mmCIF file with all atom_site columns, all heavy atoms in Angstrom:
data_model
loop_
_atom_site.group_PDB
_atom_site.id
_atom_site.type_symbol
_atom_site.label_atom_id
_atom_site.label_alt_id
_atom_site.label_comp_id
_atom_site.label_asym_id
_atom_site.label_entity_id
_atom_site.label_seq_id
_atom_site.pdbx_PDB_ins_code
_atom_site.Cartn_x
_atom_site.Cartn_y
_atom_site.Cartn_z
_atom_site.occupancy
_atom_site.B_iso_or_equiv
_atom_site.pdbx_formal_charge
_atom_site.auth_seq_id
_atom_site.auth_comp_id
_atom_site.auth_asym_id
_atom_site.auth_atom_id
_atom_site.pdbx_PDB_model_num
ATOM 1  N N   . GLU Z 1 616 ? 103.693 12.567 6.609  1.00 94.00 ? 616 GLU Z N   1
ATOM 2  C CA  . GLU Z 1 616 ? 102.249 12.390 7.121  1.00 94.00 ? 616 GLU Z CA  1
ATOM 3  C C   . GLU Z 1 616 ? 102.308 12.339 8.542  1.00 94.00 ? 616 GLU Z C   1
ATOM 4  O O   . GLU Z 1 616 ? 102.501 11.286 9.190  1.00 94.00 ? 616 GLU Z O   1
ATOM 5  C CB  . GLU Z 1 616 ? 101.697 11.154 6.502  1.00 94.00 ? 616 GLU Z CB  1
ATOM 6  C CG  . GLU Z 1 616 ? 101.530 11.137 4.981  1.00 94.00 ? 616 GLU Z CG  1
ATOM 7  C CD  . GLU Z 1 616 ? 100.826 9.784  4.418  1.00 94.00 ? 616 GLU Z CD  1
ATOM 8  O OE1 . GLU Z 1 616 ? 100.925 8.763  5.303  1.00 94.00 ? 616 GLU Z OE1 1
ATOM 9  O OE2 . GLU Z 1 616 ? 100.360 9.822  3.364  1.00 94.00 ? 616 GLU Z OE2 1
ATOM 10 N N   . GLY Z 1 617 ? 102.117 13.544 9.278  1.00 93.00 ? 617 GLY Z N   1
ATOM 11 C CA  . GLY Z 1 617 ? 102.109 13.570 10.711 1.00 93.00 ? 617 GLY Z CA  1
ATOM 12 C C   . GLY Z 1 617 ? 103.515 13.265 11.242 1.00 93.00 ? 617 GLY Z C   1
ATOM 13 O O   . GLY Z 1 617 ? 104.476 13.987 10.827 1.00 93.00 ? 617 GLY Z O   1
ATOM 14 N N   . ASN Z 1 618 ? 103.581 12.238 12.075 1.00 94.00 ? 618 ASN Z N   1
ATOM 15 C CA  . ASN Z 1 618 ? 104.946 11.882 12.583 1.00 94.00 ? 618 ASN Z CA  1
ATOM 16 C C   . ASN Z 1 618 ? 105.508 10.734 11.771 1.00 94.00 ? 618 ASN Z C   1
ATOM 17 O O   . ASN Z 1 618 ? 106.418 9.989  12.281 1.00 94.00 ? 618 ASN Z O   1
ATOM 18 C CB  . ASN Z 1 618 ? 104.811 11.488 14.056 1.00 94.00 ? 618 ASN Z CB  1
ATOM 19 C CG  . ASN Z 1 618 ? 103.847 10.308 14.323 1.00 94.00 ? 618 ASN Z CG  1
ATOM 20 O OD1 . ASN Z 1 618 ? 103.186 9.870  13.444 1.00 94.00 ? 618 ASN Z OD1 1
ATOM 21 N ND2 . ASN Z 1 618 ? 103.900 9.774  15.492 1.00 94.00 ? 618 ASN Z ND2 1
ATOM 22 N N   . ARG Z 1 619 ? 105.028 10.526 10.498 1.00 94.00 ? 619 ARG Z N   1
ATOM 23 C CA  . ARG Z 1 619 ? 105.600 9.493  9.666  1.00 94.00 ? 619 ARG Z CA  1
ATOM 24 C C   . ARG Z 1 619 ? 106.056 10.067 8.399  1.00 94.00 ? 619 ARG Z C   1
ATOM 25 O O   . ARG Z 1 619 ? 105.510 11.063 7.866  1.00 94.00 ? 619 ARG Z O   1
ATOM 26 C CB  . ARG Z 1 619 ? 104.589 8.349  9.418  1.00 94.00 ? 619 ARG Z CB  1
ATOM 27 C CG  . ARG Z 1 619 ? 104.106 7.693  10.701 1.00 94.00 ? 619 ARG Z CG  1
ATOM 28 C CD  . ARG Z 1 619 ? 103.424 6.396  10.398 1.00 94.00 ? 619 ARG Z CD  1
ATOM 29 N NE  . ARG Z 1 619 ? 102.260 6.439  9.520  1.00 94.00 ? 619 ARG Z NE  1
ATOM 30 C CZ  . ARG Z 1 619 ? 101.491 5.496  9.141  1.00 94.00 ? 619 ARG Z CZ  1
ATOM 31 N NH1 . ARG Z 1 619 ? 101.809 4.252  9.528  1.00 94.00 ? 619 ARG Z NH1 1
ATOM 32 N NH2 . ARG Z 1 619 ? 100.423 5.634  8.368  1.00 94.00 ? 619 ARG Z NH2 1
ATOM 33 N N   . PRO Z 1 689 ? 108.866 6.070  10.906 1.00 95.00 ? 689 PRO Z N   1
ATOM 34 C CA  . PRO Z 1 689 ? 108.706 7.177  11.822 1.00 95.00 ? 689 PRO Z CA  1
ATOM 35 C C   . PRO Z 1 689 ? 109.753 8.318  11.529 1.00 95.00 ? 689 PRO Z C   1
ATOM 36 O O   . PRO Z 1 689 ? 110.869 7.999  11.146 1.00 95.00 ? 689 PRO Z O   1
ATOM 37 C CB  . PRO Z 1 689 ? 109.061 6.496  13.182 1.00 95.00 ? 689 PRO Z CB  1
ATOM 38 C CG  . PRO Z 1 689 ? 109.862 5.255  12.906 1.00 95.00 ? 689 PRO Z CG  1
ATOM 39 C CD  . PRO Z 1 689 ? 109.409 4.855  11.504 1.00 95.00 ? 689 PRO Z CD  1
ATOM 40 N N   . MET Z 1 690 ? 109.283 9.577  11.675 1.00 95.00 ? 690 MET Z N   1
ATOM 41 C CA  . MET Z 1 690 ? 110.196 10.627 11.475 1.00 95.00 ? 690 MET Z CA  1
ATOM 42 C C   . MET Z 1 690 ? 111.382 10.668 12.481 1.00 95.00 ? 690 MET Z C   1
ATOM 43 O O   . MET Z 1 690 ? 112.420 11.069 12.201 1.00 95.00 ? 690 MET Z O   1
ATOM 44 C CB  . MET Z 1 690 ? 109.402 11.998 11.586 1.00 95.00 ? 690 MET Z CB  1
ATOM 45 C CG  . MET Z 1 690 ? 108.383 12.147 10.511 1.00 95.00 ? 690 MET Z CG  1
ATOM 46 S SD  . MET Z 1 690 ? 108.985 12.276 8.926  1.00 95.00 ? 690 MET Z SD  1
ATOM 47 C CE  . MET Z 1 690 ? 109.881 13.827 8.915  1.00 95.00 ? 690 MET Z CE  1
ATOM 48 N N   . PRO Z 1 695 ? 106.231 6.804  18.227 1.00 55.00 ? 695 PRO Z N   1
ATOM 49 C CA  . PRO Z 1 695 ? 105.303 5.717  17.808 1.00 55.00 ? 695 PRO Z CA  1
ATOM 50 C C   . PRO Z 1 695 ? 104.839 5.987  16.334 1.00 55.00 ? 695 PRO Z C   1
ATOM 51 O O   . PRO Z 1 695 ? 104.769 7.196  15.983 1.00 55.00 ? 695 PRO Z O   1
ATOM 52 C CB  . PRO Z 1 695 ? 104.100 5.851  18.777 1.00 55.00 ? 695 PRO Z CB  1
ATOM 53 C CG  . PRO Z 1 695 ? 104.230 7.246  19.291 1.00 55.00 ? 695 PRO Z CG  1
ATOM 54 C CD  . PRO Z 1 695 ? 105.649 7.616  19.319 1.00 55.00 ? 695 PRO Z CD  1
ATOM 55 N N   . MET Z 1 696 ? 104.525 4.960  15.628 1.00 55.00 ? 696 MET Z N   1
ATOM 56 C CA  . MET Z 1 696 ? 104.056 5.135  14.264 1.00 55.00 ? 696 MET Z CA  1
ATOM 57 C C   . MET Z 1 696 ? 102.694 5.692  14.203 1.00 55.00 ? 696 MET Z C   1
ATOM 58 O O   . MET Z 1 696 ? 101.851 5.403  15.047 1.00 55.00 ? 696 MET Z O   1
ATOM 59 C CB  . MET Z 1 696 ? 104.027 3.738  13.569 1.00 55.00 ? 696 MET Z CB  1
ATOM 60 C CG  . MET Z 1 696 ? 105.415 3.212  13.267 1.00 55.00 ? 696 MET Z CG  1
ATOM 61 S SD  . MET Z 1 696 ? 106.122 4.084  11.874 1.00 55.00 ? 696 MET Z SD  1
ATOM 62 C CE  . MET Z 1 696 ? 105.220 3.243  10.530 1.00 55.00 ? 696 MET Z CE  1
#
Side-chain angles (χ1 to χ4, degrees):
E616 293 182 342
N618 61 349
R619 297 199 300 182
M690 295 297 292
M696 287 284 285

